[in-house]
Amino acid sequence: MAEKKVKTIGVLTSGGDAPGMNAAIRAVVRRALAQNVSVKGILKGYDGLINNEMVDMTSRDVSDIIQRGGTILYTARCPEMRTPEGLATAVETCKKNGIDGLVVIGGDGSFAGAQKLANEGINAIGVPGTIDLDIACTDYTIGFDTAINTAMEAIDKIRDTSASHERCSVIEVMGRHAGYIALWCGIANGADDILLPEYYDYDEQKLIEKIILNRSRGKTHHIIINAEGIGHSTSMAKRIEAATGIETRATILGHMQRGGSPSCRDRFYGSLMGAYAVDLLLRGETKRIVGIKSGEIVDFDINEGLSMKKQISKEQFEIAQTLSYSYGNFNLGAAGTINPLKHKF
Ligand code: ADP
Ligand code: F6P
């Protein structure tokens, strides 16, 4: 029997917004329209699917969005989608609107929703969009690159003031349960300590001793990047200050990490993966997750992709740790004092 021809596809963004989602939406819309397939933009993620909120997308609707952060389709966390009733309504909405295939741009939670829809006969393709980089079947997720650059720039700024006041700074970055943003920024910002949920041993005394040791060696500020998965940065800062006598401040970077104009990489891969998802649907492929492996676009069965496990690199973490110590001679001078201009930074 001939494949049923795909006439209409839906696209939605779900979970936390991520810079580059708009590039992916634009690519889905234009790649489909170019092949005479119509596109419905579903608003507010699974909320819009359950409540039948959608718009017919034209090529013009996606003009002038590739450079914008956020998502023009809005996004939401939709607890109802986790219930059998919510799922059944979402399936009904797809059928009622003649949606032959659905592109879900989001994280692994969103993919779990897509998996359930696919099991109910609604063909869904996942495109990874999350700043957390925590999807196992892909090396890359839309939004991560912009988020780490945004965070890196903010941390550089905090470092300036931390150094000027000779303080210790605990800077908390996002990532939910994963430490990728913390690891990348920790290395890129030359942090003195990086606390990752995957490897942190909760030995705060060790942390305190390192701050004191670094201070005794002439280092007058100390940057700790703390991942959201560990959290409690404010109380941690208070304890560090009490134990070391060094003024310590906590900064939680928060949602600024999710905003802003997407980087070139996020626009590039967002565009390619969005187009690729449409191609999969038009080829009659079902239940796939798109990803990037070794720079190439790949796709996996949604069940296989979601069952994969990913481990943050221990080696990269260990290298980061060796780079954060001061080694060698400390040229304390005849009087045992440190030349502040030479050794402060
Ligand atoms: P992300 O997609 O970024 O991981 P969430 O985990 O918040 O973000 O998931 C986004 C949405 O996907 C949820 O609000 C919910 O609507 C849907 N979702 C998440 N997990 C499931 C699940 N197990 N079953 C059905 N839908 C789910
Ligand atoms: O998944 C992206 C993310 O920003 C996580 O890093 C963070 O844990 C979460 O979303 C915050 O979600 P919300 O914006 O709903 O508070």
Side-chain angles (χ1 to χ4, degrees):
M1 209 170 74
E3 281 287 346
K4 185 173 162 273
K5 194 169 164 0
V6 173
K7 293 199 190 100
T8 304
I9 63 172
V11 57
L12 62 80
T13 48
S14 165
D17 63 297
M21 279 183 164
N22 282 330
I25 295 167
R26 173 178 174 271
V28 168
V29 170
R30 293 201 170 159
R31 188 73 166 181
L33 293 179
Q35 296 172 82
N36 296 318
V37 171
S38 61
V39 183
K40 291 191 184 287
I42 296 150
L43 306 178
K44 303 178 214 162
Y46 292 122
D47 251 358
L49 203 53
I50 290 171
N51 297 307
N52 198 20
E53 285 186 72
M54 56 185 75
V55 287
D56 291 317
M57 303 292 287
T58 67
S59 200
R60 299 257 40 94
D61 291 330
V62 292
S63 314
D64 197 27
I65 65 165
I66 197 164
Q67 78 284 15
R68 295 184 201 280
T71 156
I72 59 158
L73 292 177
Y74 302 96
T75 185
R77 312 232 188 237
C78 171
E80 214 183 332
M81 184 62 189
R82 297 172 189 264
T83 67
E85 296 76 23
L87 176 65
T89 314
V91 170
E92 266 322 293
T93 313
C94 287
K95 287 185 178 159
K96 210 161 58 191
N97 289 282
I99 292 173
D100 306 311
L102 182 67
V103 178
V104 172
I105 305 165
D108 53 0
S110 304
F111 291 172
Q115 183 184 36
K116 287 184 181 170
L117 285 168
N119 290 340
E120 297 296 320
I122 305 297
N123 190 14
I125 307 283
V127 171
T130 167
I131 64 164
D132 301 336
L133 196 70
D134 58 349
I135 300 178
C137 64
T138 182
D139 296 341
Y140 170 80
T141 59
I142 298 167
F144 176 72
D145 188 59
T146 308
I148 51 174
N149 280 289
T150 302
M152 182 188 74
E153 284 170 21
I155 295 163
D156 280 345
K157 293 186 167 91
I158 295 168
R159 188 193 185 104
D160 287 345
T161 162
S162 189
S164 301
H165 284 265
E166 303 179 80
R167 282 176 177 154
C168 172
S169 288
V170 180
I171 305 167
E172 187 171 313
V173 295
M174 276 187 168
R176 208 183 318 206
H177 307 299
Y180 293 97
I181 299 177
L183 178 63
W184 276 69
C185 288
I187 292 176
N189 289 101
D192 300 286
D193 280 291
I194 308 172
L195 312 185
L196 305 181
E198 294 86 347
Y199 299 128
Y200 186 45
D201 57 8
Y202 290 86
D203 186 348
E204 216 164 86
Q205 193 50 39
K206 212 160 67 191
L207 201 62
I208 285 161
E209 280 163 17
K210 187 171 167 189
I211 297 167
I212 293 169
L213 176 71
N214 278 357
R215 181 65 54 130
S216 75
R217 289 172 162 185
K219 191 153 181 40
T220 54
H221 67 288
H222 195 103
I223 304 289
I224 300 170
I225 305 294
N226 184 30
E228 176 191 18
I230 295 167
H232 303 287
S233 297
T234 306
S235 52
M236 189 186 286
K238 285 194 180 123
R239 288 193 298 274
I240 290 172
E241 180 165 313
T244 61
I246 297 168
E247 207 177 6
T248 304
R249 295 289 163 90
T251 308
I252 298 167
L253 292 185
H255 287 88
M256 57 121 46
Q257 294 161 94
R258 286 228 301 257
S261 179
S263 66
C264 179
R265 194 180 185 81
D266 280 326
R267 297 181 200 192
F268 179 81
Y269 280 130
S271 299
L272 292 190
M273 289 201 284
Y276 189 93
V278 172
D279 292 350
L280 286 175
L281 284 172
L282 298 199
R283 278 211 309 267
E285 301 278 358
T286 55
K287 309 181 185 177
R288 311 297 292 174
I289 297 181
V290 180
I292 305 284
K293 285 274 178 195
S294 309
E296 297 294 321
I297 303 192
V298 292
D299 57 284
F300 294 92
D301 172 77
I302 207 162
N303 299 322
E304 186 194 352
L306 281 179
S307 67
M308 290 178 180
K309 297 274 172 279
K310 179 166 174 173
Q311 182 83 356
I312 196 163
S313 167
K314 183 105 193 180
E315 199 188 346
Q316 289 171 4
F317 179 57
E318 282 167 0
I319 289 172
Q321 285 178 307
T322 62
L323 299 184
S324 70
Y325 273 95
S326 310
Y327 300 94
N329 293 328
F330 289 91
N331 189 19
L332 292 179
T337 53
I338 295 162
N339 174 352
L341 293 181
K342 207 148 188 208
H343 295 281
K344 221 167 184 166
F345 298 98

